[in-house]
Amino acid sequence: MTKRDSDNMMAAGMEAWALGFEAWTVMGLRMMRLAGGGTLAQSESRRMVEEKLEALGELQMKMLTGGISSDPVTGSRQMMRHFSGKVKANRRRLG
């Protein structure tokens, strides 16, 4: 394993940790909104499902068209970046 490979793996691990933390935060914010009930909770639950399906479809298209590297570490980082933007947008919206 080269130093570059090791650095790439370390960066991927840090990105995964950061994405996980931010996703956990969004889940908490969403749970508070859902717990409030009413029309806001209904629209949030609908939006949540729609966003997840859309994000998955976009990622599948990227994979099918060569937009995601076949290298495991590089491809993982690209996929995390794909979801990271969506998680950040939700955190801003919900926070």
Side-chain angles (χ1 to χ4, degrees), residues 55-56 58-59 62 78-86:
L56 180 60
E58 290 171 355
L59 184 61
K62 281 183 182 181
Q78 290 169 331
M79 286 189 275
M80 283 187 281
R81 274 185 236 121
H82 171 78
F83 288 114
S84 180
K86 300 184 183 309

Side-chain angles (χ1 to χ4, degrees), residues 29-72:
L29 292 168
R30 272 195 160 141
M31 292 310 293
M32 288 192 307
R33 180 154 299 175
L34 294 172
T39 56
L40 230 109
Q42 288 177 344
S43 64
E44 186 63 34
S45 64
R46 194 173 307 113
R47 182 180 191 148
M48 179 174 58
V49 172
E50 290 169 358
E51 285 177 349
K52 290 181 186 321
L53 291 173
E54 183 181 332
L56 180 60
E58 290 171 355
L59 184 61
Q60 286 176 330
M61 188 56 69
K62 281 183 182 181
M63 293 174 82
L64 290 170
T65 59
I68 301 292
S69 173
S70 61
D71 174 69

